[in-house]
Amino acid sequence: MSVNHLNQQVQSIEENKDELKQGKDGEVEMAETKESIWPKERIRIRLLPIWLRLVLLVVFTVISLMAGAAVGYGVIGDGKVTDVFKTSTWTHIIDLVNKDDRQKE
């Protein structure tokens, strides 16, 4: 809550002091009026629990990585899209990367 919001609430209480009445034990209670001074707070109900959000995040991340690899290898790299999911393709790529390291030594 901002300071201005709290100041407005204090001002509205001071303006409506005549509507306040003394209750038991000296407590101040609001007289029932059509308008309430305090705004009603909205209760938020989560449609998806936090654990489900995390699971969906992981699932969508994996799907996007697979789709990006398929597009990169199949469309941009002129290979077959289904070849990106074969282990022989990845071992070949790893061998190409490691080949440069072996030649430098």
Side-chain angles (χ1 to χ4, degrees):
M1 289 185 155
S2 67
V3 175
N4 291 335
H5 183 68
L6 292 175
N7 286 337
Q8 289 174 353
Q9 287 181 351
V10 169
Q11 287 175 356
S12 62
I13 289 173
E14 290 175 358
E15 292 171 358
N16 295 318
K17 277 188 178 179
D18 56 332
E19 294 177 7
L20 296 174
K21 61 180 181 179
Q22 288 283 12
K24 297 177 185 177
D25 302 327
E27 294 178 1
V28 177
E29 297 177 2
M30 288 292 299
E32 292 186 28
T33 60
K34 292 181 182 178
E35 292 181 356
S36 176
I37 296 173
W38 306 101
K40 293 183 180 181
E41 292 187 25
R42 182 176 167 209
I43 299 173
R44 182 175 177 181
I45 299 172
R46 289 192 175 118
L47 297 177
L48 296 174
I50 294 175
W51 64 268
L52 183 60
R53 291 179 190 184
L54 293 174
V55 169
L56 288 175
L57 176 72
V58 170
V59 168
F60 288 136
T61 302
V62 169
I63 290 173
S64 64
L65 285 173
M66 291 171 57
V71 169
Y73 188 79
V75 177
I76 298 172
D78 295 329
K80 290 185 181 178
V81 175
T82 56
D83 285 346
V84 77
F85 301 113
K86 294 181 180 177
T87 56
S88 61
T89 304
W90 290 102
T91 55
H92 179 68
I93 292 171
I94 291 171
D95 289 342
L96 289 174
V97 171
N98 289 336
K99 180 181 175 183
D100 292 337
D101 291 339
R102 290 183 196 148
Q103 288 180 352
K104 289 180 182 177
E105 293 177 356

